[in-house]
Amino acid sequence: MAYDLLIKNGTVVDGTGAPRMRADIAVAGDRIAEIGNIREGAKRVIDASDLIVSPGFVDPHTHYDAQICWDPLISCTSWHGITSVVMGNCGVGVAPCKPESREIAAWDLTNVEAIPFESLKKGITWDWETFPEYLDAAERRGSAINLGFLAPLTPFRHYVMGIESMDRAATPEETRQIAALLSEAMAAGAMGFSTTTLKQHIGYQGSPLACRLASKDELKAYANVLKQHRKGAIEVALTKKIAVVQEDEYELLDMLLTESERPVTWLAMASSPRRPERALETLTRLEPLISRGGIPQVLCKPFVAQLDLRSPFTFADNDSWSQVFNQPVEVQKKIYADPNFRDNFRASLSQPHLFPGKWNRVEILEAINPALKQYEGKTVAEVAEMRGADGLDTFLDLTLEDDLQLQYTMQQYHEGGIQQLISDPRTMIGLSDGGAHVDMLCDAGYATYLLGNWVRKNQAMTLEFAIKRITSEPANFFGIRERGQLKKGWKADITVFDYNTVNSARRATMQHDLPGGGRRLVMPAEGIEYTVVNGRVSYVHGRQSGELAGQVIRSVAA
């Protein structure tokens, strides 16, 4: 028979962890028809000599909930050989949504995920109200890669409770209504639900993101929905301290696992620079939960955020900054210049926060004011010494002198402890946040970074293990059927890459391509030669082919 696609002469790494092998892969329609020494012809042949042929990568943690309305390519995640994504994470999203709540949903995304409000206002199509309608709209619209959706708890609470969702827990009757909506979402194919407990996750007008106010009785009811449907997973942004799971956080994970009888993934496990052994101690302590499916996510690259003080998400967990959010520039400038604000900020740094007050880790990346160009590449601590000033005052003075346009970079975690976490089978590699924090960072290239940096450069793990970690492991966790492995009869999601060059670029680049000209950071990919989605070639040598072969992945009962 003549196949639709034949990938010949490649080195196949099948996603199971098995040793690589030389083989051809034949595709008929959207499925893998044969793997081996194939003599028959095909309508299209790709010569994969000297290339690696693997399952398409699966990204378990993205925030493309709004971007799918205007960007069918799901960039820049799709540039990196990723063929399936899971969105709707951290309890924030855009469905279900009544017309009168659209502005609230958009501001939630702006505050939690740093997506410009004007871009959301111009770009979200709002061709849905309910969650099932949202999935159907995504299917009609089409996409370059496959889309999986968690049901984010915040819009479900908004839908039933209105603005009171940001002030209190739900009543038993409201909980019943929210659970019914969640059940409807699960029946339509949601992959589970997500929530957050993190203080920095603030929503409309600086209020707590609505899902943070869900009571334990509420969360128990929502977990029971997954048990009733016998499918899905739960994602929760959980930990307040690096590498530490506090007792109340442990109890929450235990409850969610017990009441749902489904897997739970939580954010995040990272390595503390001062106590790198703490992460492994925490994993050992949590083994009773991990053995039941309570899997922490880890990022395989250093966490370096780009920051300006128009959208200061890094300080969202600090009460002294709550007055800054969703304000015009002139109001923000007055706040930053106010000695009382500075005194309160300085005093707050004695308490644990997302930013620990280490000015030697904050670097001036780019200034618009020519007088400040001399400081680019220097840390705030260095500039403070040059000026004979305090670090905090220097940090705020510089941005005022640049009309709040100055860009900083801030390193919060370092590379030292990453290797032990990404090599530990008790973790799941993910946490890319693709589509979120668009003016701060872009870790959408985590999969190519893993292959280029940890496998090829540092030889920290085998290629076979690395591929398994970013394909079959996340696919299995979320119950994504017939994807994540190269297997006869399974969906033909395939990534072909050059082992000698695969990587993500050294630094993200800024583009002004959001609706209305809004800016975002993107991470170019290196070494991805072909990406096949559902049997159709989506990318060739880094260029999109025009094919929109992605599908909406709908959950199936176990």
Side-chain angles (χ1 to χ4, degrees):
M1 63 173 289
Y3 299 108
D4 293 305
L5 176 66
L6 181 61
I7 303 173
K8 288 190 66 67
N9 306 318
T11 299
V12 173
V13 180
D14 69 4
T16 67
R20 68 195 77 180
M21 63 180 180
R22 291 295 294 247
D24 308 324
I25 297 180
V27 174
D30 64 353
R31 295 185 179 270
I32 296 171
E34 196 63 65
I35 301 175
N37 183 13
I38 300 171
R39 297 173 182 252
E40 293 89 343
K43 296 175 185 176
R44 180 170 186 174
V45 177
I46 291 174
D47 184 2
S49 299
D50 302 321
L51 300 175
I52 304 296
V53 182
S54 79
F57 310 145
V58 179
D59 187 339
H61 189 97
T62 74
H63 291 277
Y64 288 113
D65 309 60
Q67 187 173 324
I68 60 174
C69 290
W70 65 78
D71 177 20
L73 302 188
I74 323 300
S75 63
C76 58
T77 285
S78 62
W79 302 350
H80 292 268
I82 289 166
T83 57
S84 298
V85 296
V86 178
M87 66 189 77
N89 286 280
C90 298
V92 64
V94 292
C97 188
K98 296 176 181 176
E100 60 267 28
S101 297
R102 289 172 180 172
E103 183 172 325
I104 292 174
W107 275 116
D108 283 347
L109 280 174
T110 294
N111 287 340
V112 177
E113 305 305 344
I115 304 170
F117 178 77
E118 287 303 315
S119 295
L120 295 172
K121 189 175 178 181
K122 287 180 168 64
I124 300 179
T125 51
W126 296 118
D127 47 345
W128 67 86
E129 180 172 321
T130 69
F131 195 86
E133 289 170 350
Y134 175 63
L135 298 190
D136 292 343
E139 204 158 54
R140 287 193 305 271
R141 207 178 289 119
S143 58
I145 59 177
N146 304 306
L147 311 177
F149 297 86
L150 291 167
L153 188 52
T154 288
F156 284 78
R157 296 184 90 246
H158 284 330
Y159 197 86
V160 172
M161 301 171 64
I163 60 173
E164 292 189 30
S165 64
M166 297 175 280
D167 293 326
R168 61 173 176 83
T171 65
E173 174 56 23
E174 288 167 337
T175 298
R176 186 195 65 76
Q177 293 179 40
I178 295 166
L181 288 174
L182 180 57
S183 182
E184 178 185 64
M186 292 302 299
M191 305 186 77
F193 76 88
S194 70
T195 189
T196 179
T197 64
L198 298 183
K199 191 174 181 180
Q200 65 262 32
H201 284 165
I202 60 172
Y204 181 64
Q205 295 184 339
S207 299
L209 195 65
C211 65
R212 283 175 47 198
L213 299 178
S215 67
K216 286 189 177 180
D217 285 341
E218 280 187 70
L219 294 175
K220 177 181 177 180
Y222 309 145
N224 288 166
V225 172
L226 271 59
K227 179 162 61 176
Q228 293 160 11
H229 283 267
R230 296 184 297 109
K231 64 177 183 175
I234 299 170
E235 183 267 351
V236 55
L238 182 73
T239 54
K240 301 173 186 68
K241 295 179 66 177
I242 297 174
V244 173
V245 173
Q246 297 173 348
E247 193 58 38
D248 61 326
E249 296 165 348
Y250 188 105
E251 291 173 0
L252 177 59
L253 287 173
D254 189 12
M255 184 273 286
L256 292 173
L257 286 163
T258 299
E259 296 297 335
S260 69
E261 297 181 3
R262 302 299 304 163
V264 178
T265 183
W266 49 277
L267 314 183
M269 183 54 63
S271 178
S272 169
R274 286 179 296 180
R275 284 197 56 192
E277 75 283 357
R278 179 181 283 170
L280 293 182
E281 292 171 357
T282 298
L283 287 174
T284 299
R285 174 172 161 255
L286 264 65
E287 280 182 356
L289 301 183
I290 292 171
S291 65
R292 294 163 53 200
I295 308 298
Q297 284 190 41
V298 298
L299 182 63
C300 65
K301 56 186 301 187
F303 185 84
V304 180
Q306 193 162 318
L307 169 70
D308 67 52
L309 296 196
R310 282 290 291 128
S311 303
F313 173 83
T314 299
F315 303 105
D317 67 335
N318 191 318
D319 290 339
S320 66
W321 283 72
S322 61
Q323 61 186 308
V324 172
F325 288 88
N326 308 147
Q327 298 289 353
V329 171
E330 293 307 315
V331 173
Q332 288 181 321
K333 287 164 70 173
K334 288 180 181 178
I335 294 171
Y336 294 143
D338 184 352
N340 288 329
F341 169 78
R342 296 188 179 204
D343 289 344
N344 290 335
F345 179 30
R346 186 173 285 106
S348 74
L349 293 177
S350 63
Q351 303 298 317
H353 289 293
L354 192 62
F355 173 66
K358 305 293 185 183
W359 300 112
N360 61 327
R361 295 188 198 168
V362 183
E363 183 178 305
I364 294 90
L365 175 65
E366 183 180 8
I368 303 300
N369 183 344
L372 302 178
K373 288 285 184 181
Q374 60 179 311
Y375 300 131
E376 290 180 350
K378 293 182 170 60
T379 67
V380 169
E382 290 171 332
V383 177
E385 186 175 354
M386 292 168 65
R387 291 184 164 198
D390 170 80
L392 184 150
D393 288 328
T394 300
F395 175 68
L396 295 171
D397 288 344
L398 287 172
T399 199
L400 287 169
E401 291 166 27
D402 208 25
D403 202 30
L404 306 196
Q405 297 180 90
L406 190 137
Q407 296 286 314
Y408 292 105
T409 60
M410 186 177 299
Q411 181 167 325
Q412 291 176 295
Y413 313 139
H414 69 101
E415 199 161 278
I418 293 176
Q419 180 177 341
Q420 65 182 7
L421 290 175
I422 63 175
S423 301
D424 196 312
R426 296 172 293 185
T427 68
M428 177 164 58
I429 296 176
L431 211 58
S432 80
D433 263 346
H437 310 299
V438 295
D439 63 351
M440 291 174 55
L441 54 86
C442 182
D443 289 330
Y446 77 100
T448 48
Y449 183 90
L450 177 76
L451 297 172
N453 187 71
W454 291 112
V455 177
R456 185 183 66 246
K457 179 183 175 182
N458 292 313
Q459 298 185 354
M461 64 178 69
T462 67
L463 177 63
E464 288 83 353
F465 183 51
I467 293 294
K468 179 175 180 284
R469 300 234 70 194
I470 55 176
T471 57
S472 63
E473 287 187 12
N476 291 341
F477 181 89
F478 282 101
I480 299 175
R481 298 286 184 88
E482 299 183 336
R483 303 184 195 272
Q485 296 180 34
L486 297 178
K487 191 172 181 179
K488 183 177 178 179
W490 283 31
K491 294 284 190 176
D493 293 345
I494 304 169
T495 296
V496 182
F497 62 91
D498 185 341
Y499 177 83
N500 296 312
T501 61
V502 67
N503 215 328
S504 61
R506 187 171 183 84
R507 185 183 289 273
T509 59
M510 189 71 78
Q511 294 184 175
H512 291 77
D513 62 352
L514 293 178
R519 69 181 187 179
R520 63 169 178 149
L521 288 164
V522 298
M523 182 64 72
E526 299 170 0
I528 301 294
E529 298 298 326
Y530 299 92
T531 306
V532 179
V533 180
N534 295 308
R536 290 154 66 182
V537 180
S538 183
Y539 279 86
V540 179
H541 307 314
R543 293 184 177 274
Q544 217 281 326
S545 67
E547 293 277 8
L548 297 179
Q551 299 175 355
V552 170
I553 303 172
R554 298 182 188 257
S555 59
V556 179

